[in-house]
Amino acid sequence: MRVVCLSGGVGGAKLARGLQDALAPGELTVIGNVGDDVCALGLHVSPDLDSVLYALAGLNDEERGWGRADETWRALESAREWGGEGWFQLGDLDLGLHLVRTQSLRAGEPLSSVTARLTASAGLATSLLPATDDRLRTSVVTPAGSFPFQEWFVSRRHEDEVDAMRFEGADAAAAAPGVVEAIADATAIVVAPSNPYTSIHPILAVRAIREAVVARSVRSVAVSPLIGGRAVKGPLHRMLSRMAGGTSPAHVAACYEGLIDALVIDRSDAPAAAAVPLVVADTLMSSGDDARRLAATVLEATV
Ligand code: FO1
């Protein structure tokens, strides 16, 4: 098989790991969101790419959901003591990756090429591609004003209600090398259980990527990030209620109109009906076994 998975951070990373485990080496390509990328302490951080990279390499902190396991925070404490910004937490182990990436980007290397080197360093056969090498940044429109994604998510603890999302730079952004080819060549497309508004829509905001998914000749299956109408973590259920008018599987499926052929939903959200066929499964991924089981169900649904 040649499986392409569109993914954001935490939940997406878990399914990506399950898919990697369920497939033969080299059969998986993950296309990651870069709308959340942020400059922190002068370093270029790609949180969603890193969550996927760490999960694929088995280096992720499962409890926190982002960053590395066995992390320490001494560099950040020191930066704070010297009056540096500390709102975006960068752990000591995590920092090493941001240093390498930032140095390469400053030397003119595209993000996709740096990311390929990082995945190779981790010994991965899976391809991890940023949606674009161009600057694409998500901003969140709220009643209190518009905020860059991480300012709203981390600094303001995503407490503001959301009226709309903007993907700055998306109109001019080209898909990163290999992205459109991977989608066109795929035998199956999977949309990970990530927040559609904050994680998947910024990927699809790159016109060539959306067009490639729309033009697919293979099945595309999404996994709903909701369990019992609520996000496992994060603000999705509030966003869906406010922007889509509800948190049912039909509301999730509507986020992907024309882009999916089936939606995998959690048992707790069934029975339900939506514009596409629904597949009922246990979607909570508390362990590697859960992720592998869910990945197997998703792959079956793509056939
Ligand atoms: N999330 C937080 O809630 N607080 C943080 O300080 C934080 C730092 C951070 C550093 C590196 C990284 O890869 C992820 C980090 N995240 C943090 C997670 C990140 O903000 C979000 O999970 C994603 O952007 C949403 O997909």
Side-chain angles (χ1 to χ4, degrees):
M1 292 185 85
R2 291 180 302 281
V3 178
V4 162
C5 174
L6 309 188
S7 177
V10 185
K14 285 185 184 177
L15 183 68
R17 178 56 199 256
L19 287 166
Q20 176 179 263
D21 290 348
L23 291 163
E27 287 189 331
L28 176 65
T29 298
V30 181
I31 299 174
N33 170 38
V34 293
D36 298 9
D37 285 18
V38 64
C39 180
L41 289 167
L43 300 174
H44 182 112
V45 184
S46 295
D48 284 0
L49 293 181
D50 295 347
S51 293
V52 174
L53 173 61
Y54 289 152
L56 293 178
L59 298 170
N60 57 311
D61 185 298
E62 295 185 8
E63 187 76 11
R64 212 182 315 113
W66 50 268
R68 285 191 57 167
D70 303 321
E71 188 58 283
T72 52
W73 307 90
R74 296 197 63 196
L76 186 72
E77 282 159 21
S78 170
R80 283 181 178 141
E81 282 165 13
W82 290 108
E85 59 175 286
W87 66 275
F88 198 73
Q89 297 180 64
L90 300 177
D92 298 330
L93 295 172
D94 196 24
L95 269 169
L97 169 54
H98 309 314
L99 289 168
V100 170
R101 175 192 289 123
T102 303
Q103 182 186 33
S104 302
L105 291 175
R106 285 202 187 134
E109 193 176 345
L111 181 61
S112 55
S113 144
V114 186
T115 308
R117 282 199 297 109
L118 295 170
T119 51
S121 299
L124 298 176
T126 296
S127 302
L128 174 59
L129 306 175
T132 180
D133 281 335
D134 298 327
R135 190 184 161 81
L136 186 162
R137 291 291 177 274
T138 300
S139 76
V140 187
V141 182
T142 81
S146 289
F147 302 98
F149 178 81
Q150 296 295 354
E151 195 180 325
W152 168 75
F153 192 83
V154 174
S155 208
R156 299 177 70 87
R157 297 193 203 86
H158 45 75
E159 282 169 1
D160 314 271
E161 298 300 340
V162 180
D163 290 318
M165 308 294 291
R166 304 256 183 274
F167 307 117
E168 286 154 18
D171 287 349
V179 167
V180 168
E181 295 80 352
I183 297 170
D185 200 33
T187 54
I189 299 170
V190 174
V191 180
S194 300
N195 182 322
Y197 295 112
T198 63
S199 300
I200 304 296
H201 286 179
I203 300 174
L204 295 165
V206 178
R207 189 173 303 118
I209 299 182
R210 172 175 283 271
E211 284 173 0
V213 177
V214 167
R216 70 191 175 281
S217 54
V218 297
R219 279 171 66 77
S220 166
V221 175
V223 181
S224 170
L226 295 180
I227 296 188
R230 293 184 70 84
V232 176
K233 210 175 175 189
L236 175 60
H237 48 278
R238 283 171 38 225
M239 297 176 78
L240 268 173
S241 294
R242 188 172 169 97
M243 290 194 281
T247 61
S248 71
H251 292 101
V252 175
C255 291
Y256 299 128
E257 204 183 333
L259 299 162
I260 59 170
D261 304 298
L263 178 69
V264 178
I265 62 165
D266 189 69
R267 219 167 280 290
S268 59
D269 292 305
V276 293
L278 300 174
V279 176
V280 178
D282 294 309
T283 63
L284 184 66
M285 292 176 279
S286 305
S287 67
D289 279 347
D290 291 346
R292 280 185 285 279
R293 256 193 305 272
L294 179 58
T297 302
V298 173
L299 292 173
E300 267 170 42
T302 64
V303 178

